[in-house]
Amino acid sequence: MANFHTKTIVQSLELLKTEPGGLPTTEMVNRQNLYGPNELVQKKPKPPWLMFLLQFKDFMILILMVAAIISGIVGETTDSIIILIIVLLNAVIGFIQEYRAEKAIDALKKMSITMTNVRRDGVVQTLSSTELVPGDVVLLEAGNVIPADLRLLEANNLRIDESTLTGESVPVDKLTEVLELADSPLGDRFNLAFKGTLLTNGRGLGVVTATGMQTELGKIAQLLQGEEVDTPLKRRMTAFGKNLTYIILFICVIIFVAGWLRGEDELKMLLISISLAVAAIPEALPALMTIALARGANRMAKKKALVRKLPSVETLGSVSYICSDKTGTLTQNKMKVVSSFATEPFIDGIEVTPLLLVMSLNQDVNVKSATELHGDSTEVAIVEEAIAQLGFETFQNLVQQFPRVAELPFDSDRKCMTTVHQFGEQFLVLSKGASESLMPVLNSSLHQQHLENMSDSWAKEGQRVLAFAYKILPALPQPFSYETVETQIDFAGVVGIIDPPREEVKSAIAESRAAGIHPVMITGDHPATAAAIAREIGILQAGDQTLTGGTLAQLSEEAFLDQVENTTVYARVSPDQKLRIVKALQAKGHYTAMTGDGVNDAPSLKAANIGIAMGINGTDVSKEAAHMILLDDNFATIIKAVKEGRRIYDNIRKFVKYIMTCNSAELWTIFLAPLIGLPMPLLPIHILWINLVTDGLPGLALAGEKAEKDVMKRPPRGVNENIFAEGLGYHIIWVGLLMAGVTLGVQAWSLKEGGHWQTMVFTVLSLAQLGHALAVRGERSFLFQQGLFSNLPLVGSVFFTFLLQLAVIYVPFLNSVFRTQPLSLRELGICLGLAAVVFHAVELEKWVKGNLRKSSPKAITRA
């Protein structure tokens, strides 16, 4: 494609084979056939039925479906139905999430279809933007959405808001002159206009250079159609499902072979081994994960973080880098005067300093009250400062006393604005602009040097420096132009303006660093401004690097990968470079969060492990592409969400620890009993009861467990860390063996004493699991430290399950259903005592691990 910004108007028209009067209608038809409609094209979407079926391809879901089929074959119909309901529920939730995700491209398409005034055959016609073709000549007016990529032919005070595409927050002044740099970034191509951007001021004429998917907006749409990044939770649960399958197959084989060697009936042993394998499947795990994620999403919404995709709730807990925009997220998005210097001499007849006079009068702010000001953010900051120093009444009196009679509006070339006000029979000429623009026209070399020194000093601190000047004329010069007016003026003063950091951000940055998370600032601002803010809030520290977009563009991938982990500030970065930063961090093995608000940010938001869109200033496209939306555009909210993500993953681990330990206890009990000469300890209905009630209710209540005190003092979980890390797998084995040991012990004792041995076995195993549920509430903290009643749903479920177990033992009707017998008080006391052994053993394990951590931090590592 031609670099039209480097071509003259004549060359551009020749390349496009068109004229200022537009294309003839016949040629337009040919080009529509050649280029197609001017709209964004989606890849062929998956039909809803296929999208729904693909929800069942997850490994864990496949295992559950096999388990449901086997359960039905061996007669466990209830188990089979419950598993199938859980599988179906998860498929429906996944389908809804994926269906909603398809809206990202739809949002792009909607924003890009407008009505457009076009010259065809020399006549102006109003057409849908979808009918445009390269070579069409388009008329532009303020308020238009640019319908295609254009080379500007005319630009009369033309200003375009390109923030959604380039990230530049200030509207860009456009021109028609040729630009020399072929590979200049989009934001610097001042003679072009881009599809989807907004014309805020002036009027113009442009020739279409690209339509549809060939536009810059279309290129973003193509990037959005890439594959989603797998969440860490999905990866870990897939690995968990595979490992569990191998264990189950191993158990099936061992139990079958052991029974066959003892001379048991082969078919009977096959059914028993399959039944036990089915019992080992944690069928409630997908439901628990969905509930935990949904509840976490609800809690996060109350903290101003809206989750669009449930798995991303947990992904936050794995994040090791948070790449954040500066404006509005780390800062207040509200300019404020933080430094000022005013010259001493007053103007005769005016009781305020020349600086405050210029600040009050040289502005286009719509002032409704002292607190309600509307206009350019920089001008609003200046007027706010003037009102703060003068008082609102004095400010209003100045505006009324010195009415504006003429002006030279701001333009991007001279970076200056001048207004003229009536001053009796004379005229006040007041100028405001960049220090480098006003410095040459000051009438005092001393003031010029003073202004230069202050500008350099304040700019290094990240401040935007504006100079103010004035002069009094007996009459206005003719012609009235900036060459005749903005000369030999008196220095009034200078101010430094900055977008100050949010008050809560500094502590949030410190908390993220304590949690092993690296905060990174990415901004389009000047490097000095970015570095000053980053240094103040704690992002830029000793040894950290600052990288500009220009330098980044020149780095090879290998060189950038060497620097990316040590770079904490990126300034003057183009939106496409955000995507490069995300991919580089991921290539180094990091889970990365990325914030953004524009259409241009959508690809990096989608590519990040978790994309975070701005709820206040974000575009619809960025919100649709993101995993999470900040309702307050505040970095501190991200840290709150990270804490919630870690809490959720911890709770999922606690459920896995609880449910798999209980399942292993059942397997050990049934497997070991025949080996030591004991009868089959449990009936199928006992196993079903334990799986559905004893395991299920307390397990689900673990999803609401509060975060432990050290949750934000641990490093992020490693990329390759599996769910059995930190000794969870060993816990499942040894505590399962302990439960089986006390259960088989009571069975042997009761058989010897002639008691109700099977009911006691059933009761000890059930109550031991309830004690285990209370103990696994904290991975590092003891129950008494957490407080027994700090998780009321769990305590309630344990107590309710205990009452149900008593009902199974003592209600005659349930005795016949569950084949149980009433226990004596002595027998019940023994069951309670043995169950308590498990609780205290797990608490002792925490004490041992805690001492090992203190003596040697490396003694317990993440597996």
Side-chain angles (χ1 to χ4, degrees):
M1 294 182 67
N3 287 318
F4 282 98
H5 61 289
T6 64
K7 309 296 181 187
T8 65
I9 290 175
V10 173
Q11 288 172 330
S12 298
L13 292 173
E14 288 177 352
L15 279 170
L16 294 163
K17 298 179 181 178
T18 188
E19 298 177 356
L23 293 169
T25 304
T26 53
E27 177 60 18
M28 178 270 297
V29 173
N30 292 333
R31 295 195 185 192
Q32 278 189 338
N33 291 332
L34 178 63
Y35 295 106
N38 176 33
E39 61 184 11
L40 302 179
V41 180
Q42 283 181 267
K43 63 181 180 181
K44 189 176 180 180
K46 288 178 282 194
W49 63 268
L50 179 59
M51 199 182 296
F52 180 74
L53 287 179
L54 288 175
Q55 304 304 317
F56 296 94
K57 71 177 183 179
D58 184 79
F59 194 83
M60 192 71 182
I61 297 298
L62 291 173
I63 292 298
L64 286 173
M65 290 174 67
V66 171
I69 294 169
I70 294 173
S71 295
I73 292 173
V74 300
E76 300 294 345
T77 310
T78 307
D79 248 359
S80 182
I81 292 172
I82 289 172
I83 293 172
L84 288 175
I85 289 173
I86 290 170
V87 168
L88 186 63
L89 178 64
N90 278 274
V92 169
I93 292 172
F95 168 76
I96 291 171
Q97 290 172 0
E98 186 173 346
Y99 191 78
R100 286 181 61 195
E102 294 293 328
K103 289 183 179 178
I105 301 298
D106 291 339
L108 274 171
K109 291 181 73 173
K110 288 176 183 175
M111 73 172 285
S112 64
I113 298 176
T114 58
M115 299 304 292
T116 307
N117 292 326
V118 185
R119 281 183 187 166
R120 292 257 175 94
D121 292 319
V123 179
V124 176
Q125 304 176 29
T126 302
L127 305 170
S128 166
S129 63
T130 58
E131 298 181 44
L132 291 179
V133 294
D136 266 327
V137 175
V138 178
L139 283 72
L140 303 171
E141 295 178 350
N144 288 165
V145 174
I146 305 300
D149 285 0
L150 309 173
R151 169 61 165 95
L152 295 173
L153 308 178
E154 296 178 12
N156 299 310
N157 202 21
L158 199 64
R159 188 174 291 180
I160 297 179
D161 179 359
E162 297 181 340
S163 59
T164 59
L165 187 66
T166 66
E168 177 62 55
S169 57
V170 180
V172 179
D173 292 295
K174 292 295 183 177
L175 43 79
T176 59
E177 285 78 6
V178 175
L179 302 175
E180 294 182 3
L181 193 60
D183 59 350
S184 59
L186 293 183
D188 292 343
R189 299 184 183 188
F190 302 114
N191 55 12
L192 302 183
F194 302 105
K195 181 178 176 69
T197 58
L198 178 65
L199 200 160
T200 60
N201 192 66
R203 57 187 177 82
L205 196 68
V207 60
V208 176
T209 60
T211 58
M213 298 300 283
Q214 298 305 311
T215 62
E216 297 299 329
L217 193 66
K219 294 172 185 175
I220 290 174
Q222 288 177 327
L223 291 172
L224 276 175
Q225 295 179 16
E227 293 298 320
E228 291 275 356
V229 176
D230 269 355
T231 67
L233 182 62
K234 184 176 180 182
R235 292 177 186 173
R236 290 184 176 111
M237 296 319 295
T238 298
F240 171 65
K242 288 180 179 178
N243 293 333
L244 187 60
T245 303
Y246 300 143
I247 293 169
I248 288 170
L249 290 174
F250 178 73
I251 289 170
C252 282
V253 171
I254 292 295
I255 291 178
F256 176 79
V257 171
W260 176 66
L261 291 174
R262 289 198 312 269
E264 300 279 359
D265 180 71
E266 293 178 4
L267 180 59
K268 176 186 173 184
M269 287 312 303
L270 179 63
L271 291 176
I272 289 174
S273 61
I274 290 174
S275 298
L276 283 172
V278 170
I281 293 285
E283 61 269 8
L285 183 57
L288 180 279
M289 285 171 53
T290 302
I291 291 169
L293 294 172
R295 290 181 64 181
N298 185 50
R299 287 191 295 267
M300 286 165 64
K302 293 177 182 177
K303 297 175 183 176
K304 306 295 185 184
L306 182 64
V307 174
R308 289 192 63 255
K309 301 172 184 179
L310 277 184
S312 62
V313 176
E314 184 277 332
T315 307
L316 278 163
S318 301
V319 163
S320 51
Y321 274 80
I322 298 178
C323 300
S324 174
D325 186 27
K326 177 183 75 68
T327 305
T329 308
L330 297 169
T331 64
Q332 298 175 17
N333 197 22
K334 185 177 184 296
M335 304 302 287
K336 183 180 180 181
V337 174
V338 292
S339 306
S340 66
F341 170 81
T343 54
E344 290 297 329
F346 281 69
I347 302 170
D348 290 339
I350 300 177
E351 297 181 353
V352 302
T353 64
L355 175 61
L356 286 173
L357 182 69
V358 185
M359 289 171 68
S360 300
L361 300 181
N362 185 289
Q363 47 86 11
D364 291 322
V365 177
N366 181 8
V367 182
K368 294 187 176 181
S369 69
T371 57
E372 192 175 358
L373 293 82
H374 302 282
D376 176 79
S377 59
T378 300
E379 287 202 325
V380 167
I382 293 169
V383 172
E384 281 182 337
E385 181 67 16
I387 292 173
Q389 293 197 35
L390 294 170
F392 187 60
E393 187 175 342
T394 303
F395 170 81
Q396 284 185 308
N397 290 339
L398 285 174
V399 174
Q400 293 168 4
Q401 184 181 351
F402 303 105
R404 186 185 300 188
V405 295
E407 67 179 279
L408 293 167
F410 175 88
D411 70 51
S412 57
D413 290 331
R414 72 183 212 285
K415 297 179 182 178
C416 184
M417 170 183 178
T418 295
T419 57
V420 181
H421 303 261
Q422 195 71 47
F423 182 41
E425 298 297 321
Q426 298 176 303
F427 296 93
L428 274 173
V429 177
L430 310 178
S431 297
K432 170 186 71 186
S435 55
E436 65 268 24
S437 298
L438 285 183
M439 204 179 302
V441 297
L442 294 180
N443 57 15
S444 165
S445 59
L446 183 64
H447 282 158
Q448 288 177 337
Q449 186 61 49
H450 199 47
L451 175 57
E452 183 177 8
N453 292 340
M454 282 187 294
S455 297
D456 291 344
S457 175
W458 293 355
K460 289 177 182 177
E461 296 175 4
Q463 299 178 32
R464 181 183 178 189
V465 182
L466 286 179
F468 299 81
Y470 70 98
K471 69 179 177 180
I472 300 172
L473 295 176
L476 294 181
Q478 296 298 329
F480 181 77
S481 65
Y482 66 87
E483 290 94 344
T484 59
V485 175
E486 295 171 351
T487 59
Q488 292 299 302
I489 52 182
D490 295 312
F491 183 46
V494 62
V495 300
I497 303 173
I498 203 165
D499 179 9
R502 289 177 179 264
E503 292 180 4
E504 64 275 23
V505 160
K506 192 170 183 179
S507 60
I509 294 292
E511 188 175 8
S512 70
R513 286 191 174 277
I517 301 168
H518 302 273
V520 174
M521 177 192 288
I522 300 179
T523 179
D525 275 352
H526 190 278
T529 304
I533 293 290
R535 194 174 291 110
E536 181 179 350
I537 61 180
I539 286 182
L540 187 62
Q541 298 186 341
D544 292 342
Q545 296 184 39
T546 298
L547 201 62
T548 63
T551 305
L552 177 57
Q554 295 173 6
L555 288 177
S556 65
E557 284 305 309
E558 294 76 14
F560 182 43
L561 284 173
D562 288 339
Q563 295 185 30
V564 69
E565 291 179 303
N566 297 319
T567 304
T568 56
V569 176
Y570 295 88
R572 287 284 192 246
V573 171
S574 63
D576 59 306
Q577 289 176 324
K578 278 190 173 184
L579 186 60
R580 186 181 178 191
I581 295 167
V582 169
K583 291 184 174 179
L585 286 169
Q586 289 173 335
K588 298 291 283 187
H590 295 288
Y591 283 123
T592 306
M594 172 67 75
T595 70
D597 55 12
V599 173
N600 56 293
D601 294 322
S604 59
L605 291 176
K606 186 171 183 179
N609 297 96
I610 177 158
I612 304 170
M614 301 298 107
I616 298 174
N617 296 316
T619 60
D620 287 344
V621 177
S622 67
K623 292 174 186 176
E624 289 292 344
H627 306 85
M628 188 176 86
I629 300 170
L630 292 185
L631 300 180
D632 58 359
D633 291 11
N634 190 344
F635 181 87
T637 303
I638 302 175
I639 304 305
K640 293 176 186 175
V642 168
K643 183 176 181 179
E644 189 61 45
R646 292 189 174 192
R647 169 191 177 182
I648 287 167
Y649 184 71
D650 280 356
N651 289 348
I652 291 173
R653 271 177 54 91
K654 289 169 187 175
F655 176 81
V656 170
K657 178 188 283 189
Y658 173 66
I659 204 76
M660 292 307 297
T661 303
C662 294
N663 287 354
S664 75
E666 297 164 37
L667 290 169
W668 285 121
T669 300
I670 294 172
F671 174 63
L672 294 175
L675 296 181
I676 60 177
L678 295 174
M680 189 63 68
L682 295 169
L683 298 174
I685 195 167
H686 298 157
I687 296 173
L688 180 62
W689 172 266
I690 291 171
N691 284 345
L692 296 183
V693 180
T694 309
D695 290 356
L697 294 178
L700 291 175
L702 283 169
E705 191 63 46
K706 293 181 180 178
E708 296 191 53
K709 291 181 181 179
D710 68 341
V711 71
M712 290 300 285
K713 295 179 181 177
R714 311 176 203 156
R717 294 185 297 278
V719 173
N720 298 317
E721 178 185 301
N722 63 53
I723 202 164
F724 294 106
E726 292 191 315
L728 190 147
Y730 296 116
H731 176 97
I732 290 171
I733 294 171
W734 84 260
V735 178
L737 278 169
L738 176 63
M739 284 188 190
V742 296
T743 302
L744 295 174
V746 81
Q747 181 183 10
W749 176 85
S750 186
L751 281 168
K752 183 180 179 181
E753 294 292 319
H756 306 115
W757 67 268
Q758 195 162 56
T759 303
M760 289 188 74
V761 166
F762 179 31
T763 303
V764 166
L765 193 54
S766 296
L767 297 185
Q769 293 183 4
L770 295 181
H772 185 241
L774 293 174
V776 297
R777 284 182 53 191
E779 288 206 26
R780 304 188 182 198
S781 52
F782 302 108
L783 181 62
F784 77 88
Q785 292 174 321
Q786 294 176 293
L788 179 62
F789 299 105
S790 58
N791 185 347
L792 286 176
L794 178 61
V795 175
S797 66
V798 167
F799 183 67
F800 179 64
T801 305
F802 175 67
L803 292 180
L804 289 177
Q805 186 66 30
L806 291 180
V808 168
I809 297 170
Y810 294 108
V811 175
F813 168 71
L814 295 176
N815 288 157
S816 61
V817 173
F818 287 90
R819 300 181 191 177
T820 54
Q821 297 168 306
L823 299 177
S824 66
L825 287 177
R826 179 169 177 255
E827 289 174 323
L828 181 61
I830 290 171
C831 291
L832 287 168
L834 289 174
V837 169
V838 175
F839 168 80
H840 289 292
V842 176
E843 292 285 86
L844 180 63
E845 178 191 36
K846 298 177 196 175
W847 180 82
V848 172
K849 282 188 174 182
N851 285 328
L852 284 174
R853 286 191 191 94
K854 291 176 184 177
S855 61
S856 175
K858 295 183 179 180
I860 296 178
T861 57
R862 294 182 179 273

